[in-house]
Amino acid sequence: METAEGIKILTVDSSSFTGSVALCRGEFLVAESLLNVRSTHSEKLLKQIDLLLDEVGWILQDLDLLAVVTGPGSFTGLRIGIATVKGLAQVLNKPVVSVSALQTAAMNLPLCSVPICAFLDARKKEVYSQLFEWHPSDGPIAIGPSSVLPPEKLLKELPEKVAFVGDGVLLYRHLLDALPAQQALIPVATAHQLRAAHASWLALQAWQRGLGQSAAEILPTYIRPSDAELNLSSKQGI
């Protein structure tokens, strides 16, 4: 196994419409592909991986660690990304690290001096959210639990001053603009897309703490039940 500085990492994020793949050597980004297009991740993901490997001259067997954003996010997107990474990990017999989509979003606001509110579209007029504080050496550290709530309810429960990040910001910008100017800090539009490169850095920190897993142990983080689970519960009268 390579040292942390030389470890080769493949990271996949398919938790939202924006799908991205990154190849990193330790903490340093080697190549990244990000696509914000209205096509399913199953059509693009393997092509993105193959393209990046070819461009940097790596083969799958060169990889030391695989990482995947496990949610919360699009149920279909998560299943595709996780299945892809699990399949590769099983074939290559490599460890995997799961990464939170909410923590990955918070990575977009380095050195932020106020609490960071990850604010991701959960559809059904709700958002996935979690508060983080930025630590210079550890990146974003959670200071509260993850939740899924209507944005109006969430905004009533936030601290006096927060920075918002995530695709929910663009979707519910009208609600954020109605907050007092001193409460809501909103970065430019390009700051709200999740990036596999940021998830890769988080994965490396987790791997160094001994949090690597086998492929079989990687599971999606949904926070709320899927439609299929809700329908089953309804039929069973739960």
Side-chain angles (χ1 to χ4, degrees), residues 106-125:
M107 283 285 291
N108 287 8
L109 300 183
L111 301 179
C112 187
S113 60
V114 301
I116 300 169
C117 179
F119 199 74
L120 305 181
D121 178 24
R123 305 187 187 180
K124 299 185 178 181
K125 298 181 179 180

Side-chain angles (χ1 to χ4, degrees), residues 117-198:
C117 179
F119 199 74
L120 305 181
D121 178 24
R123 305 187 187 180
K124 299 185 178 181
K125 298 181 179 180
E126 293 182 322
V127 291
Y128 297 118
S129 184
Q130 191 168 16
L131 286 175
F132 296 86
E133 282 185 349
W134 187 272
H135 288 238
S137 59
D138 298 321
I141 303 298
I143 56 174
S146 58
S147 64
V148 56
L149 292 169
E152 297 88 347
K153 183 176 181 180
L154 174 70
L155 295 179
K156 292 178 181 179
E157 301 175 357
L158 290 176
E160 292 183 359
K161 193 169 188 178
V162 295
F164 293 90
V165 65
D167 57 4
V169 173
L170 304 179
L171 185 62
Y172 295 106
R173 181 63 186 259
H174 60 289
L175 297 177
L176 301 181
D177 286 342
L179 295 173
Q182 67 272 19
Q183 181 180 5
L185 301 180
I186 303 174
V188 297
T190 53
H192 300 295
Q193 292 178 322
L194 271 64
R195 291 184 53 190
H198 290 165

Side-chain angles (χ1 to χ4, degrees), residues 41-54:
H41 294 298
S42 60
E43 297 174 1
K44 302 291 185 181
L45 194 52
L46 287 174
K47 292 179 181 178
Q48 285 178 272
I49 294 172
D50 287 341
L51 175 63
L52 288 190
L53 288 169
D54 184 63

